[in-house]
Amino acid sequence: QFSKKSNLSMRVLSLFACLLLLSVALAAQQQQQYDPALQNAMRLHQSGELEPAAAAYRAYLKTRPASLEARSNLGAVLASLGRYAEAVTEYKAALKLSPGNPGVSLNLALAYYKSGDMAGAAKELNILHALDPSMEQVLLLLADARIQMGEHKKVISLLEPVYAKQSDNAAVAYLLGTAYARDNQSYNSQKVIEKLFAGREDTAEAKLLVGTTKFYLADFAGALVDLGRAVELNAKLPSANAYHGMALM
């Protein structure tokens, strides 16, 4: 339940971290059948020895470039090392070996997202969402990517039907409220805020959402007050410092 969480926006962010763990050994159940060189690379990977694992996967791929497991796992290692552009290259190569593979597509989307390529992330996430609309992690990532791209109306169209059925879903409500605010739909944004933060109006998340609504309505003085309070309550809240700084300009 949302009421048990001290930081609403961290629910969305925690999904990203959890999803990054999905890509170790696509066919681990068959590990006993793998070449010893691949088994060694996987052992290094699973033990957290990432640089040696990357080198071992690359060496293996020199002689077996069509190995889906090695290619995808190399992408996972590179993503864990923060080398997202390289990870994207490996995941795209893996998708050529296994077109439409949802696990690889998800990891490709995450690598795009973490590299700041929201258009690339949205493209992959949109495909995954069309295949299975019930995947909440994909839905939230897609909505967040589109918000960052400025596609607020698309986010609203995406989330309104979900919110109508799950108005108590804090992550959906937060993203929808953000999209409303940035699309200058202050009335709709306010309704979502009031329901979402009933009894919790003086929280960093509530102040951030109210402040960004005022910012997009050009009420910079009001935005400054609310965003300043958001930073005071939680200086690490995503976007709070950025919007506070813009309101000061």
Side-chain angles (χ1 to χ4, degrees), residues 39-139:
Q39 287 186 342
N40 179 59
M42 294 172 68
R43 178 186 60 77
L44 291 168
H45 185 178
Q46 293 169 346
S47 65
E49 300 175 67
L50 300 181
E51 291 288 2
Y57 281 130
R58 290 192 190 280
Y60 183 81
L61 285 165
K62 285 182 179 179
T63 57
R64 299 168 181 80
S67 171
L68 173 63
E69 292 81 6
R71 188 70 65 185
S72 183
N73 286 349
L74 175 57
V77 169
L78 293 168
S80 296
L81 289 167
R83 290 154 58 180
Y84 300 113
E86 293 176 68
V88 164
T89 298
E90 298 304 329
Y91 285 135
K92 289 172 72 174
L95 272 181
K96 289 182 179 179
L97 297 170
S98 180
N101 185 305
V104 177
S105 292
L106 177 57
N107 286 309
L108 174 59
L110 289 164
Y112 274 131
Y113 183 94
K114 297 297 287 186
S115 71
D117 185 348
M118 296 302 147
K123 178 181 177 181
E124 296 300 323
L125 292 165
N126 195 55
I127 293 171
L128 290 167
H129 179 66
L131 289 173
D132 186 359
S134 69
M135 291 181 63
E136 182 177 310
Q137 296 94 332
V138 170
L139 173 73

Side-chain angles (χ1 to χ4, degrees), residues 109-229:
L110 289 164
Y112 274 131
Y113 183 94
K114 297 297 287 186
S115 71
D117 185 348
M118 296 302 147
K123 178 181 177 181
E124 296 300 323
L125 292 165
N126 195 55
I127 293 171
L128 290 167
H129 179 66
L131 289 173
D132 186 359
S134 69
M135 291 181 63
E136 182 177 310
Q137 296 94 332
V138 170
L139 173 73
L140 297 176
L141 282 167
L142 177 57
D144 189 70
R146 285 181 169 171
I147 284 174
Q148 295 193 51
M149 293 168 65
E151 296 182 345
H152 307 129
K153 291 187 186 300
K154 288 186 178 181
V155 175
I156 291 167
S157 296
L158 178 69
L159 295 182
E160 277 186 336
V162 180
Y163 183 71
K165 297 178 181 178
Q166 303 178 35
S167 61
D168 60 341
N169 186 316
V172 170
Y174 188 82
L175 289 168
L176 179 59
T178 300
Y180 279 142
R182 297 188 184 186
D183 197 48
N184 296 325
Q185 297 189 35
S186 57
Y187 176 72
N188 288 331
S189 178
Q190 189 62 37
K191 286 199 303 181
V192 173
I193 293 170
E194 289 175 355
K195 180 175 177 58
L196 181 60
F197 295 109
R200 303 181 67 255
E201 291 81 2
D202 193 34
T203 62
E205 295 86 355
K207 293 301 182 182
L208 173 60
L209 201 49
V210 172
T212 53
T213 299
K214 291 178 179 179
F215 181 88
Y216 281 99
L217 292 173
D219 177 8
F220 300 117
L224 189 60
V225 172
D226 288 308
L227 292 169
R229 179 59 175 160

